Amino acid sequence: MARTRSTVVHGRGVSHPQRRARLLLVFVFMVFSLFAAQLFRLQGLDAASVSEAAVNDRLTNVTIPAARGSIVDANGEILADDTERARVEVNPLNVPLYERWEGTGAERTLAAEGIVGAAADIAEVTGADPSDIAQKITQTEGMYGILLPSISPEQWQEINDLGIPGITSTTIFQRSYPLGAAPAPLLGWISDPDYPAGGLELTRDEVLQGVAGEKLYERGGAGEVITTGDITITEAIPGDTVHLSIDSDLQWYAYNAVEERVKESGALSGYALVQEVDTGRIVAAASYPSFDPTDETQSAEGMRNALVEDVFEPGSTGKLITAAAALEEGIVTAETPIVVPVGMSRAGQNFKDAHDHPQQDLTFAGVLATSSNMGTILYGEMLDDDIFYDYLLKFGLGTTSGLGLPGESTGVVPAPESWSATSKFTMMFGQGLSSNALQQMSVYQTMANDGVRIQPTLVSGVTDHDGVYQAEPQPEGERIVSSETATTLTQIMEQVPTPSGTAPQAAIDGYHVAGKTSTADRYDPELGKYDRTTASFIGYAPADDPKYVVAVTVQRPTEISQYGGTIAGPVFADIMRYALQESGIAPTDEPQTEVPVEFDPDAAAPGEGSGVTLGDIAIRDE
Amino acid sequence: MTTTSRNVARARKVSSSQPQTAGSSLASAGEWLRSPVAPYYLVLISVASLVSIGLVMVLSASTVQEYAATGNSYGLFLQQLMFMSIGVVLAYVASRLPIAWWKRLAIPGLVLAIGLQALVFSPLGVDFQGNRNWISLGGKTLQPSEFAKVAVIVFGATILANRRKVMDRIGLAIFPFIVPGVAIIVGLVVAGRDLGTAMILLAIAAGMLFVAGLPLRWYALFGALGAAGVAFLALNSDNRMQRIDAWLGDICSNPQVEGCFQKVHAEYALADGGWWGVGPGASREKWSLLPEPHNDFILAIIGEELGLPGTLLVLALFSLFAYACFRIISSSTDPFVRLATAGVMVWIVAQAMLNVGSVIGMLPIIGVPLPFVSSGGTALISALIGLGLLLSMARSVPGCDAALKGRPSTLRRTFAALPVRRSRS
């Protein structure tokens, strides 16, 4: 090789290629050494801080929404639950870039492009009108707008696969209520965005609400998750499941029954409640009119929970408290003779019964069974004011029912010191005081449960997101009247819904029913005076071992009738029959206990001296 | 022609002793490096390694964007594989082409290159990212300026080969090589606004004149002219000024600063990789963040996934390539061989420098692909033709061809590249 080099002839000032090439090589090595040093700095010395800036630049977080807890009935049937949906959003500036090609190679054709093409392809998936969608895109201002408020995740998958620029989605949860309007006032409703409004949705929000999660990830230039990058996912914790004592079937049945009755009687509204006697649990609580809980716009009026917000004068069903107090205080027995006059006057006011009648010789049982106002005053006025008032309170009037539903009204039970001259007399037959339907039903539950009152409950327990069930504390029963008093009143009330009683419409074939009608004068707040009636029937069955209390109230019926027995009685019978059959209570063919409702004024009074007749010792208007 | 036959005779003489030393004794690495076959194999090894790294990294860097765009992650990779196959075939053909043939092709090649380059301005031309440097033929696009590089090298080597002794006469030095040859091509490329390719072409021409022995005083003049030309072109373009500002202005505190997006994301990628890399396939910046991850910025992705060893390996392979070229120049006696080799060397190395310098922030972002590594069909094919030319030159090094032909099989010839113990014969 050396020989080759020496043979080269040098030109004038012309350098040898070998030398020049060596210079070139040295230059190359120098530059590459500098580059290596720079790489050593970038990838070694300075890497940590720059890499941190890089990760921070890419990191982004998205909230993972938590599903709201379900509300289920006593059998686990869904009353309210969350469904995953997709909300489609649009950046109208990017949509015009959309292109969809079909075929391959030379046969490739542009199948859709721009806003019109995108709208047509989206409409294909959702079944909407393409021009509507196109219009929505073009009318969106700025860089963000909601294109489709809620579509199924499957539909979103199809739209996403189209790869339309500027079309993105957010996972949302939508509340659904399979029973619709039937339990709506009870359950409440979720407004947009995710704000519980009314009912159990509001009162149990704390447990129903889940905890939103978060996904922290490195985001690529197209907004995608960099799968090889840092991803930290804090899973959302779904809300807890709230178990109610409600029975869906019964709720549905009761709602339909009351809806039908309100409509055919031209009434204002109606309620139907079913309570389990032994436990105080509410099995159905329906009111009509109701509302559609999936409708995003609701009026405050439409969302009222009439069951606990409506208070009204109970009327004759209130006589049960007067009767219980008189029995318990030893003023009367079932057989106590009472002479009911044609008319009478107290504190300057005339009192009459619902139907005019000649003077009647009724027992105490007969006064209650025929719902005589005057008879009730005759024995009731023998009660001390404070004792009577105490009984009203002990039965739960004037205090909330304990369900804790929003907006519950306690009703008004005036204290003796504020009574007017006639207050005591009207309150004895359930006028001049007010309460809600639940409170009134509770009085009947007490009698049905042998004199022990149990506060009504609606929530039986909560299952948390780990599946652990925690029962709600159930209220202790409280004895209000003796077992004897309760038994006596039950036997008396068994006389009402019989073919010969005042409310034959409330009778149920094969079952003994104890109950009471009421036709109360209704105070109309709009007119500012009493106008028309509140028609109710409250009762329980089977009378010898009651399973359910059912309370039916119809406000301001204008057609068919205005009387409780006629209007509310059949609805009561309907619901009670359904409830008894559903729970498999066997009918009985035992004869009903007969309680004498009238007395013979000439018969000898037992326990008195000879010659003293019942007519002599009878309570009468003197 | 007499020179050539004498060379062959000398080569035969050397080759007669060659098989014995290589085959009968333990060939140490040093000894092997001094052998006439060494440049041939060094070129082959360095280029094969770069192409292999390139294929793997093009696959890794393009999958995400390919999938997003077409639903098929492998589209670009398979295309690249196809281009490589074409390039390997052409390289093989070129490596078998005798020197006389190269010389014969010099003028037709240049004319063809000028013709193709002019087609850019015909309706066949395609605009791409602000440059008009592509033509579209039957659905395929190609970049004629890539082939022009080979044409300029062969033309220059042919012209300058016989002017060794008159290189101090500037007229003979530049005519007809620089004017009109290089000037027409560069003029067309600059008209297409592809400053990067124009710079490579000028570097090739300057490098060949340098090795040919052009007196250094002319470089002062040409350097001044070149600098003025670059400055003129840069000042005439907001885009270019922005790139220069991003390079020298120290303004790139984050990727949102105007003109800093690529630079900062390239830094991010290299820093993410750090010493040892995030692992093959695990790049973050290739997720539609760093632009051109499989093309101009593939080195950043190599750095991110393979770490500092990855980027240093790429530099080492280009250095090895440069060394191999130097060995061909220094051990050949044929001026054509020396100049053609110098041309290919300057082409590949200068382009690598511009590319790497851009990626690591030591140069403004010029936008040239990394030779043998970046994706891009025409660039890879023409670079592989350049490889074929080099191999053809390497074979002409005294003793090389004979040594290669002395080996009975391609397989054994390949093993000859390895400094390992061979079985006794």
Side-chain angles (χ1 to χ4, degrees):
Chain A
M1 300 295 147
R3 195 162 51 90
T4 317
R5 228 172 270 160
S6 66
T7 56
V8 168
V9 182
H10 289 260
R12 293 157 292 161
V14 176
S15 186
H16 190 273
Q18 215 172 30
R19 257 183 67 198
R20 285 287 174 89
R22 189 178 290 121
L23 276 175
L24 213 52
L25 188 66
V26 169
F27 174 72
V28 168
F29 284 167
M30 273 169 56
V31 171
F32 279 165
S33 302
L34 272 173
F35 284 3
Q38 168 76 345
L39 282 167
F40 187 76
R41 187 174 77 78
L42 287 174
Q43 295 196 266
L45 307 180
D46 292 353
S49 63
V50 177
S51 174
E52 200 185 317
V55 170
N56 285 337
D57 200 56
R58 294 189 295 261
L59 272 184
T60 185
N61 68 325
V62 288
T63 303
I64 305 172
R68 191 174 172 81
S70 304
I71 302 178
V72 299
D73 84 343
N75 307 313
E77 299 275 336
I78 300 289
L79 295 171
D81 71 347
D82 262 12
T83 320
E84 191 182 320
R85 306 284 289 174
R87 182 177 65 208
V88 180
E89 290 138 8
V90 61
N91 176 351
L93 304 183
N94 290 349
V95 183
L97 303 175
Y98 178 54
E99 278 180 359
R100 184 166 57 81
W101 294 85
E102 265 169 16
T104 49
E107 280 154 43
R108 233 161 90 95
T109 51
L110 192 58
E113 70 174 322
I115 289 178
V116 173
D121 285 357
I122 292 171
E124 179 91 4
V125 176
T126 63
D129 181 6
S131 60
D132 282 355
I133 292 179
Q135 196 178 14
K136 250 183 166 173
I137 296 171
T138 48
Q139 284 176 357
T140 300
E141 286 173 17
M143 289 170 43
Y144 175 85
I146 292 174
L147 185 62
L148 303 165
S150 171
I151 61 170
S152 72
E154 294 74 25
Q155 285 178 322
W156 166 245
Q157 196 54 54
E158 279 184 55
I159 293 177
N160 193 31
D161 288 346
L162 294 170
I164 303 170
I167 298 286
T168 53
S169 94
T170 305
T171 299
I172 56 166
F173 285 103
Q174 208 169 44
R175 201 71 168 155
S176 59
Y177 299 93
L179 255 52
L186 206 57
L187 302 178
W189 151 89
I190 299 290
S191 70
D192 186 51
D194 285 352
Y195 182 81
L200 288 160
E201 295 280 20
L202 181 61
T203 58
R204 296 287 165 156
D205 188 40
E206 206 169 305
V207 289
L208 286 169
Q209 207 176 55
V211 181
E214 189 191 52
K215 180 170 166 185
L216 191 66
Y217 66 97
E218 291 185 50
R219 182 171 55 177
E224 71 276 58
V225 177
I226 298 179
T227 53
T228 49
D230 289 347
I231 303 175
T232 316
I233 295 175
T234 314
E235 293 286 359
I237 303 171
D240 300 350
T241 303
V242 173
H243 298 259
L244 303 189
S245 53
I246 295 289
D247 177 297
S248 292
D249 293 341
L250 204 51
Q251 176 74 24
W252 181 251
Y253 194 86
Y255 176 76
N256 286 335
V258 78
E259 175 184 15
E260 194 185 342
R261 198 56 171 167
V262 167
K263 283 177 175 167
E264 66 193 9
S265 66
L268 188 67
S269 61
Y271 337 109
L273 288 156
V274 183
Q275 188 180 20
E276 207 170 58
V277 168
D278 297 348
T279 59
R281 289 155 37 120
I282 304 289
V283 219
S287 64
Y288 181 85
S290 181
F291 60 91
D292 175 6
T294 54
D295 190 346
E296 277 185 21
T297 51
Q298 308 274 359
S299 66
E301 180 57 30
M303 282 167 24
R304 286 183 78 245
N305 187 357
L307 284 167
V308 295
E309 291 182 47
D310 276 6
V311 292
F312 52 93
E313 300 187 25
S316 305
T317 48
K319 286 171 184 159
L320 188 58
I321 297 175
T322 318
L327 273 176
E328 192 72 6
E329 296 300 315
I331 290 166
V332 292
T333 65
E335 290 84 25
T336 299
I338 299 169
V339 178
V340 183
V342 175
M344 58 188 254
S345 158
R346 288 289 183 279
Q349 183 170 340
N350 291 321
F351 290 95
K352 293 176 66 121
D353 284 338
H355 303 277
D356 288 339
H357 57 76
Q359 179 174 303
Q360 289 174 318
D361 293 328
L362 297 177
T363 60
F364 165 75
V367 166
L368 184 60
T370 60
S371 200
S372 164
N373 292 344
M374 290 185 287
T376 305
I377 292 174
L378 284 171
Y379 70 80
E381 64 190 348
M382 295 159 88
L383 279 166
D384 185 67
D385 286 359
D386 290 326
I387 291 175
F388 176 52
Y389 179 65
D390 274 354
Y391 272 97
L392 292 173
L393 296 188
K394 275 205 278 185
F395 275 104
L397 267 55
T399 47
T400 54
S401 62
L403 292 187
L405 289 169
E408 179 166 2
S409 171
T410 59
V412 178
V413 183
E417 48 277 18
S418 60
W419 286 354
S420 72
T422 56
S423 287
K424 180 179 178 182
F425 305 115
T426 59
M427 280 164 70
M428 284 172 192
F429 53 84
Q431 301 273 178
L433 53 78
S434 63
S435 62
N436 63 38
L438 262 173
Q439 290 169 325
Q440 286 159 40
M441 180 168 67
S442 192
V443 179
Y444 288 77
Q445 181 272 329
T446 309
M447 296 314 156
N449 197 31
D450 219 24
V452 178
R453 180 175 185 270
I454 302 173
Q455 236 184 22
T457 53
L458 193 55
V459 177
S460 44
V462 172
T463 303
D464 69 18
H465 58 273
D466 292 326
V468 179
Y469 178 77
Q470 176 104 41
E472 288 273 306
Q474 296 297 312
E476 296 275 318
E478 189 193 349
R479 179 164 290 284
I480 310 295
V481 294
S482 69
S483 178
E484 294 75 35
T485 298
T487 308
T488 304
L489 289 170
T490 299
Q491 284 173 355
I492 295 169
M493 285 192 288
E494 273 187 73
Q495 314 307 312
V496 176
T498 60
S500 59
T502 56
Q505 304 91 335
I508 304 167
D509 275 351
Y511 296 96
H512 297 171
V513 178
K516 186 77 195 74
T517 63
S518 166
T519 309
D521 289 332
R522 180 172 180 274
Y523 183 81
D524 192 323
E526 279 167 34
L527 299 174
K529 59 170 188 170
Y530 284 92
D531 182 60
R532 299 187 186 263
T533 62
T534 300
S536 316
F537 190 94
I538 310 178
Y540 46 93
D544 46 346
D545 182 15
K547 171 78 177 163
Y548 293 116
V549 194
V550 172
V552 176
T553 302
V554 176
Q555 296 281 12
R556 209 201 66 192
T558 57
E559 282 165 38
I560 301 172
S561 163
Q562 58 172 344
Y563 292 106
T566 317
I567 294 292
V571 184
F572 165 87
D574 236 18
I575 296 172
M576 182 61 97
R577 186 186 304 114
Y578 185 81
L580 291 174
Q581 285 169 356
E582 279 285 283
S583 53
I585 308 270
T588 177
D589 49 11
E590 281 185 33
Q592 201 166 298
T593 321
E594 291 294 331
V595 178
V597 294
E598 289 178 332
F599 69 93
D600 177 2
D602 300 326
E608 300 289 334
S610 66
V612 181
T613 62
L614 287 174
D616 295 336
I617 62 161
I619 300 170
R620 59 178 74 230
D621 185 28
E622 248 117 12
Chain B
M1 292 302 122
T2 47
T3 340
T4 318
S5 54
R6 228 187 291 140
N7 278 349
V8 170
R10 197 183 295 137
R12 288 254 161 81
K13 236 182 277 167
V14 176
S15 76
S16 60
S17 62
Q18 201 61 24
Q20 287 163 5
T21 46
S24 63
S25 67
L26 282 172
S28 72
E31 222 175 302
W32 181 80
L33 274 177
R34 285 191 292 273
S35 75
V37 287
Y40 181 89
Y41 283 117
L42 289 179
V43 166
L44 208 52
I45 289 166
S46 58
V47 172
S49 305
L50 287 167
V51 170
S52 308
I53 292 172
L55 268 182
V56 173
M57 294 313 295
V58 163
L59 171 63
S60 172
S62 67
T63 46
V64 172
Q65 286 177 337
E66 275 297 291
Y67 184 79
T70 67
N72 175 13
S73 296
Y74 302 102
L76 195 133
F77 166 72
L78 292 173
Q79 225 174 32
Q80 189 69 5
L81 199 63
M82 184 192 76
F83 290 138
M84 189 205 75
S85 312
I86 295 170
V88 166
V89 171
L90 292 178
Y92 179 79
V93 172
S95 74
R96 296 279 147 171
L97 222 52
I99 288 167
W101 268 94
W102 284 112
K103 288 179 174 171
R104 228 169 277 166
L105 284 172
I107 290 170
L110 188 76
V111 171
L112 182 68
I114 291 170
L116 282 174
Q117 192 62 36
L119 275 183
V120 163
F121 302 100
S122 76
L124 289 175
V126 179
D127 271 316
F128 179 74
Q129 293 182 356
N131 292 345
R132 195 172 174 88
N133 209 20
W134 295 76
I135 56 175
S136 176
L137 281 176
K140 301 278 173 203
T141 55
L142 61 99
Q143 208 177 356
S145 56
E146 288 296 336
F147 296 119
K149 292 169 185 171
V150 185
V152 162
I153 290 165
V154 176
F155 177 69
T158 309
I159 298 296
L160 297 177
N162 299 324
R163 300 188 182 183
R164 264 279 297 126
K165 294 170 191 166
V166 292
M167 281 311 284
D168 55 340
R169 289 167 64 183
I170 189 66
L172 290 172
I174 67 172
F175 181 86
F177 174 43
I178 302 297
V179 183
V182 173
I184 293 174
I185 296 269
V186 170
L188 287 170
V189 169
V190 168
R193 303 183 62 78
D194 187 355
L195 191 56
T197 303
M199 285 166 76
I200 301 297
L201 284 167
L202 288 176
I204 291 169
M208 288 174 75
L209 285 174
F210 182 72
V211 173
L214 185 71
L216 288 173
R217 62 179 181 278
W218 292 108
Y219 279 87
L221 181 64
F222 290 143
L225 279 174
V230 167
F232 172 78
L233 288 169
L235 286 169
N236 263 338
S237 156
D238 288 343
N239 179 28
R240 286 175 196 140
M241 274 315 289
Q242 199 178 53
R243 287 176 182 212
I244 289 168
D245 202 29
W247 168 42
L248 295 173
D250 198 23
I251 55 167
C252 292
S253 51
N254 71 65
Q256 264 46 278
V257 175
E258 183 117 29
C260 293
F261 193 81
Q262 288 176 308
K263 178 183 155 88
V264 175
H265 274 291
E267 279 176 11
Y268 280 175
L270 290 168
D272 279 336
W275 293 107
W276 302 109
V278 294
S283 161
R284 277 76 154 142
E285 289 291 326
K286 71 183 179 187
W287 289 75
S288 310
L289 291 167
L290 175 67
E292 306 288 322
H294 50 80
N295 201 335
D296 293 358
F297 282 87
I298 196 160
L299 186 80
I301 301 298
I302 293 174
E304 188 176 18
E305 296 196 346
L306 308 177
L308 190 58
T311 49
L312 292 184
L313 175 65
V314 170
L315 289 187
L317 288 171
F318 278 113
S319 302
L320 184 65
F321 177 85
Y323 171 72
C325 290
F326 165 74
R327 280 289 308 276
I328 296 170
I329 296 168
S330 68
S331 51
S332 174
T333 50
D334 183 336
F336 176 83
V337 170
R338 287 170 164 167
L339 291 169
T341 304
V344 177
M345 172 187 177
V346 172
W347 165 22
I348 299 300
V349 171
Q351 198 170 320
M353 280 179 187
L354 287 187
N355 177 280
V356 174
S358 296
V359 171
I360 66 177
M362 294 190 78
L363 291 172
I365 290 169
I366 291 160
V368 294
L370 188 59
F372 300 121
V373 181
S374 289
S375 73
T378 324
L380 181 62
I381 290 172
S382 72
L384 287 173
I385 293 173
L387 166 72
L389 173 59
L390 265 188
L391 292 179
S392 163
M393 298 303 105
R395 293 173 72 91
S396 76
V397 167
C400 178
D401 196 39
L404 292 174
K405 283 192 174 140
R407 308 224 182 284
S409 78
T410 312
L411 187 67
R412 290 190 60 190
R413 199 192 310 156
T414 309
F415 278 120
L418 304 172
V420 293
R421 184 187 170 141
R422 300 174 60 87
S423 58
R424 285 177 170 277
S425 52

